[in-house]
C-alpha cells in the first residue's frame, strides 16, 4: 500500500447560466448595491464615504448591457446578460477577454445570490483616489465613451500620410495608461 493519500479530483465550479435581462439594469443594480452599502459595507475601512451608489450609462452593446457601477468601494465596467453576442456563461472567478470597440478588455465573472451571474472589468481601484461623486461620474462617463468609441479610421490610401504625421506606428494604449488618464494621473 502506498503512503500517498489520494486527493479527490478537482471539479470546476458550477456554471449558473445567466437569464437575459430585457429591461435596462441600472435601477436594479443601484437598489442592490445601496442595500449592500447600508447593511454591510458602510463601516469597512476601504470605502470612500465621499461616493454613493450610482449606475452610469447602461446601454445595449451587441445585445447585452454595458455600463459603469459606482459604489463607495469600486468603480467597475459591468456586463449584464441581455441575450446578445457579448455574454458567455463562465464560472464565477474565471476571466474572459472581450473585444470591444476600444480593444480587448479583461472581465471577471461573478455570481451574486441576488443578482445572478454578471461580469465586470475593474476601472478604478482603490476609489479613495476619487475626491467626490462628480469626479467619479466624470470618470465613468469618460470610460464608457472610450470603451464604446469606434476605432480611428484608417487613411484611404495607406501611403498617404496626413501632413506632419510621424513615420512610426502608434503605440497601443496600456490599460494602466487608459485608467490613469481617467483619474488625471498623467
Amino acid at each position: 500500500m502506498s503512503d500517498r493519500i489520494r486527493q479527490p479530483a478537482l471539479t470546476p465550479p458550477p456554471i449558473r447560466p445567466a437569464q437575459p435581462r430585457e429591461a435596462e439594469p441600472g435601477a436594479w443594480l443601484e437598489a442592490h448595491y445601496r442595500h449592500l452599502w447600508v447593511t454591510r459595507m458602510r463601516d469597512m475601512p476601504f470605502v470612500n464615504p465621499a461616493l454613493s451608489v450610482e449606475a452610469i450609462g447602461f446601454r445595449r452593446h451587441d445585445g447585452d448591457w454595458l455600463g459603469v457601477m459606482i459604489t463607495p468601494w469600486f468603480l467597475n465596467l459591468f456586463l449584464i446578460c441581455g441575450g446578445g453576442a457579448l455574454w458567455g456563461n463562465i464560472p464565477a472567478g474565471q476571466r474572459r477577454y472581450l473585444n470591444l470597440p476600444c480593444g480587448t478588455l479583461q472581465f471577471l465573472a461573478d455570481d451574486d445570490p441576488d443578482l445572478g451571474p454578471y461580469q465586470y472589468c475593474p476601472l478604478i481601484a482603490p476609489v479613495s483616489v476619487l475626491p467626490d461623486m462628480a469626479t467619479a461620474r466624470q470618470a465613468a462617463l469618460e470610460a464608457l465613451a472610450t470603451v464604446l468609441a469606434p476605432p480611428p479610421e484608417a487613411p484611404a490610401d495607406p501611403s498617404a500620410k496626413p501632413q506632419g504625421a510621424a513615420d512610426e506606428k502608434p503605440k497601443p494604449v496600456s490599460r494602466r495608461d487608459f485608467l490613469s488618464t481617467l483619474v488625471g494621473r498623467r
Side-chain angles (χ1 to χ4, degrees):
M1 182 163 227
S2 170
D3 290 343
R4 293 174 117 187
I5 298 174
R6 296 191 106 200
Q7 296 290 331
L10 295 176
T11 58
I15 299 173
R16 182 166 65 141
Q19 299 301 312
R21 290 193 61 81
E22 290 298 319
E24 188 270 327
W28 167 68
L29 289 166
E30 282 182 3
H32 174 74
Y33 285 106
R34 278 194 186 106
H35 177 74
L36 285 179
W37 173 233
V38 170
T39 60
R40 292 191 246 167
M41 301 300 288
R42 191 169 296 278
D43 296 325
M44 295 294 183
F46 52 83
V47 300
N48 180 346
L51 302 183
S52 59
V53 173
E54 189 172 341
I56 302 287
F58 275 87
R59 64 193 77 167
R60 286 206 183 255
H61 184 76
D62 287 342
D64 292 304
W65 296 101
L66 275 176
V68 175
M69 277 305 304
I70 301 170
T71 73
W73 60 98
F74 69 72
L75 193 145
N76 293 341
L77 178 65
F78 265 53
L79 172 64
I80 303 293
C81 180
L86 281 182
W87 185 262
N89 287 312
I90 59 174
Q94 295 284 318
R95 300 173 194 277
R96 63 190 295 253
Y97 297 85
L98 293 177
N99 292 320
L100 295 169
C102 70
T104 303
L105 292 179
Q106 176 182 272
F107 281 75
L108 301 165
D110 208 342
D111 189 351
D112 183 277
D114 297 323
L115 295 178
Y118 65 96
Q119 294 165 15
Y120 67 95
C121 175
L123 294 176
I124 297 177
V127 292
S128 60
V129 301
L130 300 169
D132 53 38
M133 198 59 190
T135 304
R137 280 188 198 103
Q138 186 63 37
L141 290 169
E142 288 176 13
L144 273 176
T146 300
V147 166
L148 298 174
E153 291 184 30
D157 178 2
S159 64
K161 294 179 191 170
Q163 193 167 11
D167 287 335
E168 63 187 57
K169 293 181 182 177
K171 293 191 308 189
V173 176
S174 74
R175 182 171 172 211
R176 178 177 291 238
D177 288 343
F178 167 71
L179 297 176
S180 294
T181 59
L182 291 177
V183 294
R185 287 190 170 176
R186 278 193 147 219

